[in-house]
Amino acid sequence: MIFLGPPGAGKGTQATRLAKDFSLPYIATGDMLRAAVKEGSELGRAAKEHMDAGRLVPDELILAMIAERLEAEETAHGFILDGFPRNPAQADALGDTVDRSERRLAVVLLIEAPDDVLVRRISGRRVCVKNDHTYHVDTDPPKHEGMCDQDGSRLVQRDDDKPETVRARLETYHEQTEPLVDYYEQRGLLRRFDGTRTPADVGDRIRATVATLRFEEAL
Ligand code: AMP
């Protein structure tokens, strides 16, 4: 299952919930890259300038990073992708990997919202330094200001959630990632969700869609 949509649409929230419900591995390329940056690995150093500028990290780095994960035993019974693929070349590469291992893509869940809503959401987003648990200063504040409810660590703004980077990330999405909407629609895999609704509502609709697919195709 793939989650598609602009930054701030709620992909991470919905994807982690669905992964828990289905006991499937949750694979988020953004999280993997941020971990590499924190570690100071070669990949992290190469990725950071692109991330801070709101651009995509080059395909060859992303594909090398994710190949191992997709071929690992833990993904044999399925996986949930968030933030990958992000352009048609990545989608082709994913298609090849899936075909080679005689698996198939089940569904692409597209969460949409207008840019002004996304900018407002992202600018209020805070994440904890330990585990990337996510909050919003207005709509989903932590119990104690600046502190994660789940692990007590400090809450910060992601470097690329700063206003100057957010506009660039949205532009990158519209130019490079949005063509995947047609790409997957043509393959009959796309399902659309209104990301301006509440997280609970979007989650219910996604669960209903996935339940129907399971019923129809014994997912
Ligand atoms: P995200 O957390 O998914 O918003 O990703 C944060 C940043 O990581 C993006 O703005 C990109 O710079 C980079 N990134 C994440 N996933 C990919 C990908 N599949 N291809 C290229 N760059 C990516």
Side-chain angles (χ1 to χ4, degrees), residues 29-31 33-34 50-51 55-57 62 83-84 86 90 158 160 169:
T29 43
D31 288 352
L33 290 168
R34 278 184 291 279
H50 300 286
M51 296 168 77
R55 293 191 306 261
L56 295 187
V57 172
I62 298 292
F84 177 87
R86 248 180 162 98
Q90 293 184 9
R158 263 168 56 174
D160 62 348
R169 287 167 65 200

Side-chain angles (χ1 to χ4, degrees), residues 7 11-12 26-41 43-45 47-48 51-52 57 62 65 82-83 86 125 127-134 156-161 169:
K11 298 186 300 294
Y26 166 64
I27 303 175
T29 43
D31 288 352
M32 293 168 80
L33 290 168
R34 278 184 291 279
V37 170
K38 231 187 231 177
E39 258 171 38
S41 67
L43 167 66
R45 286 197 301 276
K48 188 165 171 34
M51 296 168 77
D52 288 349
V57 172
I62 298 292
M65 175 180 85
D82 170 5
R86 248 180 162 98
R125 176 155 72 180
V127 294
C128 82
V129 292
K130 217 168 179 183
N131 293 304
D132 288 328
H133 294 129
T134 306
V156 296
Q157 187 170 44
R158 263 168 56 174
D159 282 344
D160 62 348
D161 280 352
R169 287 167 65 200

Side-chain angles (χ1 to χ4, degrees), residues 105-123:
L105 296 176
V107 66
V108 177
L109 304 156
L110 170 67
I111 310 182
E112 298 172 294
D115 283 6
D116 57 329
V117 173
L118 299 168
V119 171
R120 241 176 297 135
R121 271 200 200 155
I122 296 176
S123 56

Side-chain angles (χ1 to χ4, degrees), residues 9-24:
K11 298 186 300 294
T13 303
Q14 300 300 339
T16 45
R17 279 187 200 168
L18 202 63
K20 219 185 247 169
D21 288 354
F22 278 77
S23 303
L24 286 174

Side-chain angles (χ1 to χ4, degrees), residues 62-202:
I62 298 292
L63 295 173
M65 175 180 85
I66 202 159
E68 237 173 81
R69 248 349 248 289
L70 293 181
E71 276 150 29
E73 183 54 34
E74 59 147 3
T75 62
H77 301 292
F79 49 81
I80 294 182
L81 289 174
D82 170 5
F84 177 87
R86 248 180 162 98
N87 60 27
Q90 293 184 9
D92 287 342
L94 173 65
D96 290 346
T97 306
V98 168
D99 287 346
R100 262 202 313 277
S101 54
E102 292 179 4
R103 291 177 291 182
R104 65 189 170 79
L105 296 176
V107 66
V108 177
L109 304 156
L110 170 67
I111 310 182
E112 298 172 294
D115 283 6
D116 57 329
V117 173
L118 299 168
V119 171
R120 241 176 297 135
R121 271 200 200 155
I122 296 176
S123 56
R125 176 155 72 180
R126 299 291 180 271
V127 294
C128 82
V129 292
K130 217 168 179 183
N131 293 304
D132 288 328
H133 294 129
T134 306
Y135 300 84
H136 189 282
V137 290
D138 300 322
T139 54
D140 183 21
K143 288 197 189 79
H144 306 282
E145 202 187 317
M147 193 170 115
C148 179
D149 294 348
Q150 297 185 61
D151 60 33
S153 74
R154 203 160 42 89
L155 299 183
V156 296
Q157 187 170 44
R158 263 168 56 174
D159 282 344
D160 62 348
D161 280 352
K162 308 239 153 79
E164 56 279 17
T165 314
V166 170
R167 286 279 169 202
R169 287 167 65 200
L170 285 170
E171 222 166 273
T172 301
Y173 174 79
H174 292 306
E175 280 171 12
Q176 301 187 47
T177 309
E178 214 162 29
L180 293 182
V181 173
D182 279 347
Y183 182 104
Y184 286 120
E185 195 148 56
Q186 282 163 14
R187 287 161 175 77
L189 289 171
L190 196 81
R191 300 291 185 280
R192 291 172 188 266
F193 300 89
D194 177 357
T196 64
R197 294 177 178 277
T198 63
D201 193 5
V202 177

